[in-house]
């Protein structure tokens, strides 16, 4: 079984619709992240959470919101989707070891298309 | 302005040769450096990380770090067609353990 799962894997939606992407993990990690990936731009951090009560904005949080429902669950919402939010979205987790070598582990990704 | 730079490629290498991938970073306070591999349409997966100057070897892979020159490289020996992928460099600047990502280098191993 996958340690980090994302649902849905693919989603096509229309401009203005609200959409939620979900992430669950069984790794027991405290830290969770949401990234988007666009061709030629690499991974960009949207939001990250170090525990259930700690949520932080990343580089590109405008137009997105998140909810950390439990240690194992971290959801990303697009309140009113727009076409330039079409991208590949990844959830990642890492353990809280307090060192700079904490490794991030990624889910399989959600391909989102906004028409 | 991007803080982690990689040549986008594609870098084409014959099978069996050594593939050399490079990454430069701007923050001198960066503490640790990661190489991830990403196959098309798939998620990034960790190859290795390095935090001390010098070389670190893991099987066919060697990471090299030079903090004075602010670059990190990944060497792949005896390249195989299955090594064809995009290689992402990520840098941990230490302040809050976030990773700053390069855009990746596409590597093609020709049989």
């Amino acid at each position: 079984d996958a340690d980090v799962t994302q649902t849905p894997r693919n989603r096509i939606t229309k401009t203005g619709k609200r959409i939620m992407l979900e992430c669950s993990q069984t790794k027991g990690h405290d830290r969770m992240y949401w990234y988007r990936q666009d061709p030629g731009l690499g991974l960009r951090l949207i939001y990250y959470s170090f525990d259930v009560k700690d949520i932080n904005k990343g580089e590109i949080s405008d137009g997105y919101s998140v909810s950390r429902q439990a240690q194992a669950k971290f959801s990303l919402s697009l309140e009113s989707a727009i076409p330039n939010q079409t991208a590949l979205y990844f959830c990642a987790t890492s353990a809280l070891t307090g060192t700079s070598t904490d490794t991030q582990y990624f889910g399989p990704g959600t391909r989102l298309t906004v028409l | 302005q991007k803080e982690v730079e990689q040549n986008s490629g594609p870098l084409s290498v014959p099978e069996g040769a050594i593939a050399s991938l490079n990454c430069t970073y701007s923050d001198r306070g960066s503490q640790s450096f990661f190489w991830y591999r990403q196959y098309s349409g798939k998620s990034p997966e960790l190859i290795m990380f390095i935090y001390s100057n010098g070389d670190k070897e893991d099987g066919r892979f060697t990471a090299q770090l030079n903090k004075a020159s602010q670059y990190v490289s990944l060497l792949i020996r005896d390249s195989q067609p299955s090594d064809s992928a995009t290689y992402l460099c990520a840098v941990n600047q230490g302040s809050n353990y976030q990773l700053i990502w390069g855009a990746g280098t596409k590597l093609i191993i020709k049989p």
Side-chain angles (χ1 to χ4, degrees):
Chain A
D1 289 341
D3 292 326
V4 185
T5 59
Q6 293 183 235
T7 56
R9 295 292 312 278
N10 289 281
R11 180 72 182 267
I12 300 174
T13 191
K14 295 182 178 180
T15 297
K17 295 291 187 180
R18 184 179 188 276
I19 184 169
M20 178 181 289
L21 309 182
E22 298 185 334
C23 176
S24 295
Q25 52 112 348
T26 58
K27 299 184 77 68
H29 287 169
D30 290 303
R31 299 180 177 188
M32 299 187 74
Y33 310 80
W34 275 105
Y35 290 96
R36 67 175 280 176
Q37 187 175 39
D38 300 275
L41 293 181
L43 290 162
R44 292 185 292 168
L45 184 63
I46 305 172
Y47 272 95
Y48 61 102
S49 170
F50 285 175
D51 64 40
V52 174
K53 298 180 181 179
D54 181 79
I55 292 178
N56 305 279
K57 292 182 177 180
E59 177 187 356
I60 53 163
S61 59
D62 287 349
Y64 302 94
S65 63
V66 291
S67 173
R68 184 85 183 262
Q69 300 95 326
Q71 186 209 33
K73 295 185 182 295
F74 193 35
S75 299
L76 176 72
S77 294
L78 287 68
E79 296 301 325
S80 179
I82 56 177
N84 77 0
Q85 291 178 314
T86 293
L88 187 55
Y89 289 84
F90 288 107
C91 173
T93 73
S94 68
L96 182 62
T97 64
T99 70
S100 67
T101 57
D102 290 346
T103 298
Q104 292 188 14
Y105 298 89
F106 286 80
T110 294
R111 186 168 296 280
L112 177 65
T113 302
V114 183
L115 302 177
Chain B
Q1 188 173 1
K2 285 201 63 77
E3 300 179 34
V4 178
E5 298 282 353
Q6 297 181 256
N7 188 319
S8 62
L11 175 65
S12 183
V13 174
E15 183 176 359
I18 296 175
S20 178
L21 304 162
N22 298 312
C23 171
T24 59
Y25 60 94
S26 59
D27 186 346
R28 286 193 170 275
S30 298
Q31 297 186 1
S32 54
F33 308 84
F34 298 77
W35 283 102
Y36 281 78
R37 177 176 63 199
Q38 186 177 25
Y39 293 112
S40 181
K42 303 296 184 182
S43 58
E45 53 182 346
L46 180 72
I47 299 173
M48 62 193 306
F49 65 82
I50 186 169
Y51 55 88
S52 298
N53 272 329
D55 295 0
K56 179 181 179 182
E57 185 175 321
D58 184 359
R60 295 188 296 113
F61 299 95
T62 299
Q64 300 176 318
L65 175 61
N66 184 323
K67 289 187 177 181
S69 300
Q70 295 178 245
Y71 81 79
V72 56
S73 60
L74 180 71
L75 302 179
I76 307 174
R77 291 184 299 280
D78 189 23
S79 296
Q80 302 297 311
S82 59
D83 293 326
S84 297
T86 295
Y87 289 79
L88 305 174
C89 171
V91 175
N92 186 320
Q93 297 173 336
S95 59
N96 57 11
Y97 308 118
Q98 289 183 49
L99 293 181
I100 308 300
W101 296 81
T105 298
K106 184 173 183 177
L107 176 64
I108 298 172
I109 306 300
K110 291 188 172 181

